[in-house]
Amino acid sequence: EAGVAQSPRYKIIEKRQSVAFWCNPISGHATLYWYQQILGQGPKLLIQFQNNGVVDDSQLPKDRFSAERLKGVDSTLKIQPAKLEDSAVYLCASSSPDRNYGYTFGSGTRLTVV
Amino acid sequence: KQEVTQIPAALSVPEGENLVLNCSFTDSAIYNLQWFRQDPGKGLTSLLLIQSSQREQTSGRLNASLDKSSGRSTLYIAASQPGDSATYLCAVKNSGYALNFGKGTSLLVTP
């Protein structure tokens, strides 16, 4: 089966600019997650979708971050305006709705804000 | 709130040694626990998934155990190789699907 696809792989932007990341989950996986991983830390959940509805966005900085999942498949995560502390790897993962199912992660997007 | 701790934070061993990575969690009401490997600048690769009803899982030279009552899991790597050098992350799933991660153990296996 094809894995979780993410793009771009790397992005360098100046602070106050905007950026968008794209994710295509494994076919048939209804649940999609965006995680932020700061250097030296474990991944932290930003937002969780079930089909095209938001299940949990409690840790998403909503003043600057937004995410959508149109038609319950692909998803985009946007940051506007970016801050220096947003420099991190942004990971997308997908999972079956079965709670006993594991996660599959994409390769991530490394964002550097200068 | 689930807290996941991994010990040690970093580990350096000579090639061929057997080693154990530790993971502990505060809330034992988990659905499953998953061990991941992360190479520098890369995403996460799933190594082993242990359901809450299971005690251990094995894949090749890797063995993961789970003691849910004490809130602990270990990842055992047999006959380590330089190619095993990476960061190993432990993550637990409670209700609501989301995974809670530890900070990881950075492993270096020297030739």
Side-chain angles (χ1 to χ4, degrees):
Chain A
E1 88 186 338
V4 176
Q6 287 190 249
S7 67
R9 287 283 286 122
Y10 306 94
K11 192 74 176 178
I12 301 175
I13 62 172
E14 295 182 350
K15 60 183 179 183
R16 292 187 290 275
Q17 286 188 326
S18 63
V19 64
F21 313 127
W22 173 83
C23 173
N24 180 246
I26 290 175
S27 177
H29 279 191
T31 313
L32 184 147
Y33 315 80
W34 283 101
Y35 279 81
Q36 179 194 58
Q37 186 179 24
I38 293 172
L39 186 65
Q41 303 287 320
K44 181 187 81 170
L45 179 70
L46 290 176
I47 189 167
Q48 174 186 334
F49 291 95
Q50 182 76 10
N51 296 308
N52 60 347
V54 175
V55 174
D56 183 357
D57 63 356
S58 58
Q59 298 191 83
L60 186 74
K62 298 180 185 64
D63 58 334
R64 297 183 301 104
F65 286 64
S66 65
E68 61 181 5
R69 189 181 185 196
L70 299 176
K71 301 180 182 178
V73 182
D74 293 6
S75 177
T76 56
L77 176 69
K78 298 179 181 178
I79 308 175
Q80 181 179 13
K83 293 184 175 181
L84 296 177
E85 58 260 37
D86 298 332
S87 295
V89 175
Y90 291 85
L91 296 161
C92 179
S94 70
S95 175
S96 158
D98 183 344
R99 289 185 173 182
N100 292 320
Y101 201 84
Y103 279 37
T104 302
F105 279 83
S107 298
T109 295
R110 178 175 295 277
L111 173 67
T112 302
V113 183
V114 297
Chain B
K1 180 177 181 281
Q2 179 71 272
E3 300 287 342
V4 181
T5 303
Q6 291 188 246
I7 295 174
L11 182 63
S12 180
V13 300
E15 181 178 7
E17 275 203 7
N18 302 324
L19 57 99
V20 174
L21 308 182
N22 296 291
C23 172
S24 62
F25 47 94
T26 55
D27 183 353
S28 61
I30 65 172
Y31 284 98
N32 58 47
L33 181 146
Q34 201 165 357
W35 282 93
F36 292 90
R37 169 185 172 138
Q38 187 173 33
D39 293 286
K42 300 291 180 63
L44 277 63
T45 300
S46 179
L47 297 173
L48 290 164
L49 171 68
I50 310 177
Q51 303 298 343
S52 61
S53 59
Q54 297 175 325
R55 297 283 293 180
E56 66 177 345
Q57 282 286 335
T58 297
S59 176
R61 294 182 293 108
L62 305 180
N63 175 276
S65 68
L66 173 64
D67 184 342
K68 202 172 70 164
S69 61
S70 67
R72 294 182 181 180
S73 176
T74 61
L75 178 66
Y76 175 83
I77 303 177
S80 58
Q81 303 170 358
D84 294 331
S85 299
T87 295
Y88 291 81
L89 291 157
C90 168
V92 298
K93 180 189 285 189
N94 292 94
S95 62
Y97 301 98
L99 282 178
N100 290 287
F101 283 85
K103 292 184 178 181
T105 294
S106 178
L107 173 65
L108 176 64
V109 182
T110 57

